[in-house]
Amino acid sequence: VLDAVSLHIPAGQHVAIVGASGAGKSSLVGLLLGWHTLTEGRLLVNQQRIQPAMLATLRNATAWVDPAVQLWNRSLLDNLTEAARPEDRTQLAEVIEAARLRGVLARLPQGLQTLLGEGGGRLSGGEGQRVRLARALLASDTRLVLLDEPFRGLDRTQRHALLTDARRWWRAHTLLCVTHDVGETLAFDRVIVVHEGRIVEDGAPR
């Protein structure tokens, strides 16, 4: 899937990853989620080779926002606080603002106690993405942020606003953002272009 990839990302850097569908962007991020195993080469985080026994620790320090992240037929509050510790809940109001969920909250008949339906079926695709973002924002132990087409279902203006706010929230974190939209990469200092499983460009966006 990935071939001859050589890549170093310093701690705290924000990197956009762009390429056509099937190029290998999500596979690159999936290495850090433990979905794939290398047939050769090395994968290191903080100078440590990633072994299966380390994946739980790495995942606990990772915020992952992707349309595939599960929403449950439980209350909005339960869905938001799934990854949060009790003390993290003090930031709930701030997170709702950052994820632009205030309008969604006002529409739901029981507010935070509204059941979202199977797979978040009571929400539109874009609303579900904002819930996934808010859940990730609320987890306080995060050090690595992986955003894979995080705002699919929203228009470009909404995507830009949410990505700007998310990067501000996670400004001190290592952040990788996968996107099909080249325009979304222009605000990043570094962009990686993936094509047919290889990194073909790596540098400033222009």
Side-chain angles (χ1 to χ4, degrees), residues 5-132:
V5 168
S6 181
L7 182 65
H8 175 254
I9 298 174
Q13 189 172 61
H14 287 196
V15 181
I17 303 172
V18 70
S21 295
K25 305 183 302 298
S26 294
S27 296
L28 192 60
V29 170
L31 286 171
L32 294 168
L33 292 166
W35 292 346
H36 313 297
T37 302
L38 296 176
T39 54
E40 59 183 3
R42 298 185 304 161
L43 173 64
L44 297 96
V45 176
N46 292 338
Q47 289 78 52
Q48 290 185 296
R49 189 189 294 260
I50 294 301
Q51 306 287 354
M54 294 176 58
L55 281 175
T57 300
L58 178 59
R59 285 171 176 162
N60 285 336
T62 300
W64 177 45
V65 183
D66 182 296
V69 171
Q70 182 67 38
L71 297 179
W72 294 278
N73 187 19
R74 304 209 307 257
S75 70
L76 173 59
L77 179 63
D78 285 346
N79 274 277
L80 291 176
T81 57
E82 172 67 25
R85 301 177 304 183
E87 56 266 34
D88 297 337
R89 295 188 180 210
T90 60
Q91 290 191 293
L92 185 59
E94 190 177 354
V95 161
I96 287 171
E97 290 294 337
R100 313 288 174 102
L101 274 175
R102 188 65 63 188
V104 178
L105 190 58
R107 182 181 65 78
L108 295 175
Q110 283 85 44
L112 283 169
Q113 299 304 324
T114 304
L115 299 180
L116 296 188
E118 196 64 39
R122 196 161 197 162
L123 305 174
S124 70
E127 290 170 344
Q129 286 301 87
R130 292 199 286 270
V131 171
R132 293 176 177 96

